Amino acid sequence: MQPLAIITGILLGTSAAIAIGLSVVLFLFFILADEHPRLASEFGALAISTVIFVTLTAICATSFFATIRKTSWRLVAQASMWLGLTVTVLYYLP
């Protein structure tokens, strides 16, 4: 396996774990929002974060597939993955 494929796999696993964790928390907030009104104020930011990481996971999965299969468009997929990661980091930096 190529080193770039390993790095891509690590980014895929990390973003997928964060996306799943955020999705579970979003689901719990949705269930508990009626009983705890303070949770409702956090729902929008949590939904945005969930969408960001689900999108990043999809981009990383595409890039991982392209890298493993050595497709002709793997460089475009890699560039998209690094761009998505950069945008995500810039979104969360103050």
Side-chain angles (χ1 to χ4, degrees):
M1 190 180 280
Q2 300 172 350
L4 192 58
I6 294 170
I7 293 170
T8 304
I10 291 169
L11 289 173
L12 171 61
T14 302
S15 64
I18 294 171
I20 291 169
L22 287 172
S23 298
V24 169
V25 172
L26 186 68
F27 177 70
L28 291 175
F29 271 35
F30 181 73
I31 291 174
L32 298 174
D34 293 336
E35 298 172 16
H36 303 282
R38 209 170 79 187
L39 294 178
S41 65
E42 300 291 331
F43 193 79
L46 183 60
I48 290 171
S49 293
T50 304
V51 169
I52 288 171
F53 278 98
V54 166
T55 304
L56 184 62
T57 301
I59 292 170
C60 287
T62 304
S63 181
F64 186 73
F65 175 78
T67 303
I68 293 296
R69 296 288 184 169
K70 296 183 180 175
T71 61
S72 60
W73 46 272
R74 70 180 177 269
L75 295 177
V76 174
Q78 281 290 318
S80 299
M81 182 188 72
W82 291 109
L83 179 65
L85 183 64
T86 303
V87 168
T88 302
V89 167
L90 290 176
Y91 177 79
Y92 287 104
L93 285 178

